[in-house]
């Protein structure tokens, strides 16, 4: 049986560490939002409509965050070796 080795002799072959400061814009965009709390005495229709509005808004925020991360990945691709 052959054994693979990940020992220190292979460290020279590893890519250099990331050497750029990546902005936190995407993380800031995707901050968690506070959700409203409803009790047993609350009317279900307004509660549903309120939560539906939050979901619609956050769907757009998620799409923006996804695009932000995609652009950031493309902008910083290959800069770790400088």
């Amino acid at each position: 049986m052959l054994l693979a080795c990940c020992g220190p002799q292979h460290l020279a072959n590893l890519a250099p560490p990331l050497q750029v400061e990546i902005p936190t814009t995407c993380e800031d965009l995707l901050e968690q939002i506070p959700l409203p709390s409803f009790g047993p005495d609350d009317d279900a229709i307004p509660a549903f409509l309120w939560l539906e509005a939050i979901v619609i808004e956050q769907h757009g925020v998620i799409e923006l965050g996804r695009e932000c991360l995609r652009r950031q990945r493309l902008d910083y691709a290959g800069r770790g070796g400088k």
Side-chain angles (χ1 to χ4, degrees), residues 22-71:
I22 298 177
T24 61
T25 307
C26 297
E27 288 85 358
D28 296 341
L29 182 64
L30 294 172
E31 286 185 9
Q32 192 170 14
I33 60 160
L35 295 175
S37 59
F38 301 105
D41 297 329
D42 292 320
D43 189 354
I45 294 174
F48 172 80
L49 294 174
W50 192 353
L51 288 176
E52 183 182 41
I54 291 172
V55 168
I56 291 169
E57 177 185 348
Q58 289 307 303
H59 178 73
V61 171
I62 290 169
E63 288 300 317
L64 288 173
R66 184 178 291 138
E67 179 64 19
C68 179
L69 290 169
R70 186 186 73 75
R71 286 183 183 186

Side-chain angles (χ1 to χ4, degrees), residues 18 20 22 70-82:
L18 188 62
V20 295
I22 298 177
R70 186 186 73 75
R71 286 183 183 186
Q72 190 176 73
R73 184 182 67 247
L74 293 174
D75 287 346
Y76 288 89
R79 291 193 183 180
K82 288 184 178 181

